[in-house]
Amino acid sequence: MDDIDRALVLRLQQDASQSYAALGAAVGLSAGATHERVRKLRERGVIRRTTVEVDPAAVGSGVLAYVMVDSNAWMGDSKAAFEAIAEIQEAHIIAGSASVLVKVRTATTEQLQDVLRRLYAVDGVSGTHATVVLDTFFERPLPL
Amino acid sequence: MDDIDRALVLRLQQDASQSYAALGAAVGLSAGATHERVRKLRERGVIRRTTVEVDPAAVGSGVLAYVMVDSNAWMGDSKAAFEAIAEIQEAHIIAGSASVLVKVRTATTEQLQDVLRRLYAVDGVSGTHATVVLDTFFERPLPL
DNA sequence: CATGAAACATCGCACGC
DNA sequence: GCGTGCGATGTTTCATG
């Protein structure tokens, strides 16, 4: 994981559809050597997968909210219960007054309300506190 | 934006490195027709870009926190001030008691503290409330 | 890590549904 | 208009030095 690896990851985050020749030229490597480095980055798990970034509004997920989930029990084994709610994009165990923080995307606020209802149905959940996003300034790749 | 388009987007989110032939076979299309549909999805902005998903811990961003930023002024024009803080991965205007919600990734909690210091220096910011993530259950693509 | 060659995928065009 | 099939071009992949 040297400077060249970091440069490769940075450029792949910006555009993973470019050729290895172009990617290599940008960091001073041949296409073959570039390919080998990227292969190893994948193997080591630094790069998890290649994916596409989708406009949420274009696929019926125009409403974004973060929900603090309070509980009266240990939530560490409840991963599956949150995964079962398709509208939950992220779920984290957190420090502080709440127990779990989830990121939710739905088409409408009615559907958001329904997600809250299903969150209350999860074992141990004693309350929710939803924060609705009015406008997203930006979402960007990791700094390197 | 029919069912085939949705299937294409779903499969590309899971693996954008597969060939158009393989992608087409999965949805019952030829490679050429698949390529044309994906090109149009990009053109329309449904697919914003192709990127790689990186393990944050592997690139020195093992600490994740969400910060509620309180303000005593309208924050709608402060996008640039938040963008200038490299450790901020997402920034949203929110409804409710706080004004802005930011997602922050740093290598250490000391660096997180430094980000909070820089947030206080932003014009109009009157307070912060940080929630540190202890463990991430999952982060996954949009539902379709 | 670079180079060259073979295997493969992409991409444009003419055709057919 | 939309998808198909083929051919030219460019890219990946693997050998060797």
Side-chain angles (χ1 to χ4, degrees):
Chain A
M1 195 67 200
D2 57 6
D3 284 342
I4 293 180
D5 281 340
R6 263 183 291 275
L8 289 175
V9 171
L10 181 66
R11 285 171 183 280
L12 281 175
Q13 279 191 319
Q14 290 158 2
D15 178 12
S17 69
Q18 64 192 304
S19 72
Y20 286 118
L23 187 60
V27 300
L29 249 59
S30 72
T34 305
H35 180 258
E36 179 63 9
R37 276 193 183 247
V38 174
R39 192 192 63 73
K40 283 179 183 164
L41 285 168
R42 287 181 197 280
E43 189 179 84
R44 275 187 275 149
V46 176
I47 294 175
R48 286 181 177 151
R49 62 176 169 171
T50 306
T51 183
V52 293
E53 196 180 289
V54 175
D55 177 11
V59 294
S61 296
V63 175
L64 169 61
Y66 285 91
V67 183
M68 297 286 193
V69 180
D70 299 315
S71 71
N72 51 27
W74 163 239
M75 290 274 95
D77 297 323
S78 306
K79 180 182 172 186
F82 290 102
E83 268 181 334
I85 303 176
E87 293 89 342
I88 297 181
Q89 217 190 332
E90 300 178 17
H92 311 276
I93 296 274
I94 57 177
S97 53
S99 309
V100 178
L101 174 61
V102 302
K103 180 179 186 176
V104 177
R105 286 196 191 267
T106 59
T108 65
T109 50
E110 279 77 20
Q111 284 177 29
L112 174 58
Q113 195 177 7
D114 191 59
V115 170
L116 295 180
R117 187 183 58 72
R118 281 180 276 159
L119 277 171
Y120 271 105
V122 172
D123 258 12
V125 169
S126 61
T128 65
H129 186 275
T131 300
V132 176
V133 170
L134 301 177
D135 186 33
T136 292
F137 273 155
F138 60 83
E139 292 178 291
R140 64 185 176 190
L142 289 168
L144 288 174
Chain B
M1 197 62 202
D2 57 7
D3 284 342
I4 294 180
D5 282 340
R6 263 182 290 276
L8 289 175
V9 171
L10 182 66
R11 285 171 183 279
L12 281 174
Q13 279 191 319
Q14 291 158 1
D15 178 12
S17 69
Q18 65 191 305
S19 71
Y20 287 119
L23 186 60
V27 300
L29 249 58
S30 74
T34 305
H35 181 259
E36 179 63 9
R37 275 189 181 253
V38 173
R39 191 192 63 73
K40 283 179 183 166
L41 285 168
R42 286 182 199 280
E43 189 179 82
R44 275 185 276 151
V46 176
I47 294 176
R48 287 182 177 150
R49 63 175 168 171
T50 306
T51 183
V52 292
E53 196 180 291
V54 175
D55 177 11
V59 295
S61 296
V63 175
L64 170 60
Y66 285 90
V67 183
M68 297 286 192
V69 180
D70 298 315
S71 73
N72 50 27
W74 163 239
M75 290 274 96
D77 297 324
S78 306
K79 180 182 172 186
F82 291 102
E83 268 182 332
I85 303 176
E87 293 90 339
I88 297 181
Q89 217 190 333
E90 299 178 18
H92 310 276
I93 297 274
I94 56 177
S97 52
S99 307
V100 177
L101 173 59
V102 301
K103 179 179 187 175
V104 176
R105 286 196 192 267
T106 59
T108 64
T109 50
E110 279 77 19
Q111 285 177 26
L112 173 58
Q113 195 178 6
D114 189 60
V115 170
L116 295 180
R117 187 183 58 71
R118 281 179 277 159
L119 276 171
Y120 271 105
V122 172
D123 258 12
V125 169
S126 61
T128 65
H129 186 275
T131 300
V132 177
V133 170
L134 302 177
D135 186 33
T136 292
F137 273 156
F138 59 84
E139 292 179 288
R140 64 185 177 190
L142 290 168
L144 288 172

